[in-house]
Amino acid sequence: MKCSLRVWFLSVAFLLVFIMSLLFTYSHHSMATLPYLDSGALGGTHRVKLVPGYAGLQRLSKEGLSGKSCACRRCMGDTGASDWFDSHFDGNISPVWTRENMDLPPDVQRWWMMLQPQFKSHNTNEVLEKLFQIVPGENPYRFRDPHQCRRCAVVGNSGNLRGSGYGRDVDGHNFIMRMNQAPTVGFEQDVGSRTTHHFMYPESAKNLPANVSFVLVPFKALDLLWIASALSTGQIRFTYAPVKSFLRVDKEKVQIYNPAFFKYIHDRWTEHHGRYPSTGMLVLFFALHVCDEVNVYGFGADSRGNWHHYWENNRYAGEFRKTGVHDADFEAHIIDMLAKASKIEVYRGN
């Protein structure tokens, strides 16, 4: 009897050890394959998955990544959408000029310095070193969470926004990017009231609320000197035109548009049509490189074929086409191609 009980206990013990071993193996494997753990798991340990940008997602998709690469209904990283797009897109070029990419390639430096030639030359790196003591000089878009959808609205200044009623839809995006003067007060129903990024050059600059990122589009070294001055001493009051001596913006949110990215758009996308890409193109491709989903408003002519700003009473003003600097027709063609490739959705307005 005692022998039977001993055998029974040993059998039960071995069975329990076997079951516990299976459970431990299964739980260890499950935890090891989780893409991330919620905050507070494992006794408060935070585990963060670093997420590649579109170029990394593109590479992963070719290596067997299935399904969507983001949480959007339409993702920048979706596979097989367009050979044309993939042959033009380069995710390795940062849209933001930072401490890490201060040194411009020689061909970029030459091209950029000829956009608006100056009588006095400046050492670009020295100017940037001083500027980055005032503004962050970091890239805030390096990583993003694939489990979230960063929806971006690129809002142009076209008169086709008048009477469009797009305001509420625009305001529903995570990032809302505007350019140059772009007023919202009085036009909220059509253009929205929120702004997260405002792209300007010195001659078009205006004061911004504290929660808006001012993205400087520099055409020359003097523009970098100007922003440093406008945020400190106020000494520079003139470039090739009068500029604001002081600028009220959030210093911690100031970003500098990368001239290498500027030239990349000129070479790869607008293909040297026009002297250089329009601000609208610069903002659109900035969004294509930092967002998961891009929706475009206020680009192109109105329904009557007129080119004017939505805040102008004269619908025949057509300042964009009068300059001769940009090729409006070719840029419109690029927008159509991006829409056909399902990389953007264009809202045509009126």
Side-chain angles (χ1 to χ4, degrees):
M1 185 70 177
K2 290 182 180 180
C3 183
S4 298
L5 284 173
R6 187 177 300 145
V7 171
W8 184 82
F9 279 121
L10 285 173
S11 299
V12 171
F14 278 120
L15 180 63
L16 287 172
V17 169
F18 178 72
I19 293 172
M20 292 297 292
S21 176
L22 284 177
L23 289 173
F24 176 81
T25 303
Y26 176 79
S27 63
H28 177 74
H29 176 74
S30 299
M31 290 175 67
T33 55
L34 283 174
Y36 66 94
L37 295 175
D38 292 335
S39 297
L42 296 179
T45 302
H46 295 262
R47 292 186 61 185
V48 179
K49 181 180 179 183
L50 299 183
V51 182
Y54 173 76
L57 290 170
Q58 191 178 41
R59 186 192 73 250
L60 288 171
S61 68
K62 292 177 180 177
E63 295 171 354
L65 181 67
S66 62
K68 283 188 176 294
S69 56
C70 71
C72 306
R73 62 184 176 85
R74 185 186 75 249
C75 301
M76 277 297 303
D78 283 350
T79 62
S82 170
D83 291 337
W84 167 79
F85 180 85
D86 291 343
S87 67
H88 285 70
F89 190 95
D90 186 350
N92 295 315
I93 305 177
S94 170
V96 186
W97 209 359
T98 68
R99 290 185 178 89
E100 293 182 357
N101 60 8
M102 282 199 304
D103 295 325
L104 296 178
D107 62 321
V108 174
Q109 182 80 29
R110 287 192 297 270
W111 178 81
W112 181 64
M113 290 179 66
M114 291 307 295
L115 289 180
Q116 291 180 4
Q118 300 170 249
F119 293 109
K120 184 179 180 181
S121 62
H122 301 276
N123 184 306
T124 306
N125 279 24
E126 289 182 3
V127 174
L128 284 173
E129 287 283 3
K130 294 178 181 177
L131 176 57
F132 290 150
Q133 294 175 14
I134 301 173
V135 303
E138 305 293 337
N139 183 359
Y141 313 106
R142 184 174 299 168
F143 304 112
R144 60 179 181 258
D145 187 346
H147 302 283
Q148 295 180 353
C149 177
R150 183 184 288 168
R151 299 181 66 243
C152 300
V154 177
V155 186
N157 295 333
S158 171
N160 65 32
L161 285 172
R162 290 289 289 269
S164 66
Y166 288 149
R168 179 177 294 181
D169 192 44
V170 168
D171 283 343
H173 291 75
N174 303 104
F175 286 175
I176 301 166
M177 303 181 180
R178 305 184 193 272
M179 59 206 75
N180 298 329
Q181 291 302 308
T184 56
V185 177
F187 303 97
E188 294 89 346
Q189 186 173 351
D190 295 330
V191 306
S193 58
R194 294 181 55 234
T195 305
T196 63
H197 296 67
H198 207 118
F199 294 72
M200 300 178 285
Y201 45 89
E203 297 78 18
S204 69
K206 64 178 185 177
N207 297 328
L208 297 175
N211 61 341
V212 178
S213 295
F214 169 38
V215 185
L216 174 69
V217 181
F219 288 82
K220 51 191 178 298
L222 182 57
D223 294 351
L224 305 175
L225 291 168
W226 166 79
I227 186 60
S229 169
L231 297 175
S232 56
T233 62
Q235 291 179 333
I236 298 177
R237 301 181 179 183
F238 192 90
T239 54
Y240 66 79
V243 293
K244 293 178 72 68
S245 54
F246 289 99
L247 193 67
R248 289 199 309 275
V249 297
D250 189 337
K251 292 181 183 180
E252 295 304 312
K253 287 184 171 289
V254 171
Q255 300 167 32
I256 312 298
Y257 204 100
N258 184 4
F261 193 78
F262 198 153
K263 189 174 187 297
Y264 149 72
I265 298 170
H266 183 60
D267 291 342
R268 291 277 194 97
W269 295 98
T270 57
E271 299 176 2
H272 298 182
H273 286 76
R275 278 197 58 224
Y276 50 81
S278 67
T279 309
M281 283 288 102
L282 299 183
V283 179
L284 174 58
F285 283 101
F286 189 104
L288 284 169
H289 280 252
V290 305
C291 303
D292 298 311
E293 179 182 315
V294 178
N295 296 307
V296 178
Y297 305 79
F299 276 54
D302 66 13
S303 58
R304 296 188 178 93
N306 299 314
W307 295 77
H308 59 291
H309 296 137
Y310 63 79
W311 60 88
E312 292 172 338
N313 291 323
N314 178 11
R315 69 169 56 249
Y316 304 105
E319 293 300 328
F320 176 73
R321 296 189 71 113
K322 286 180 181 178
T323 64
V325 174
H326 314 300
D327 189 329
D329 294 324
F330 192 77
E331 293 191 357
H333 166 70
I334 294 171
I335 290 172
D336 287 340
M337 291 289 287
L338 289 169
K340 288 176 182 176
S342 299
K343 295 302 177 182
I344 63 174
E345 188 163 335
V346 181
Y347 295 80
R348 301 289 181 182
N350 292 315

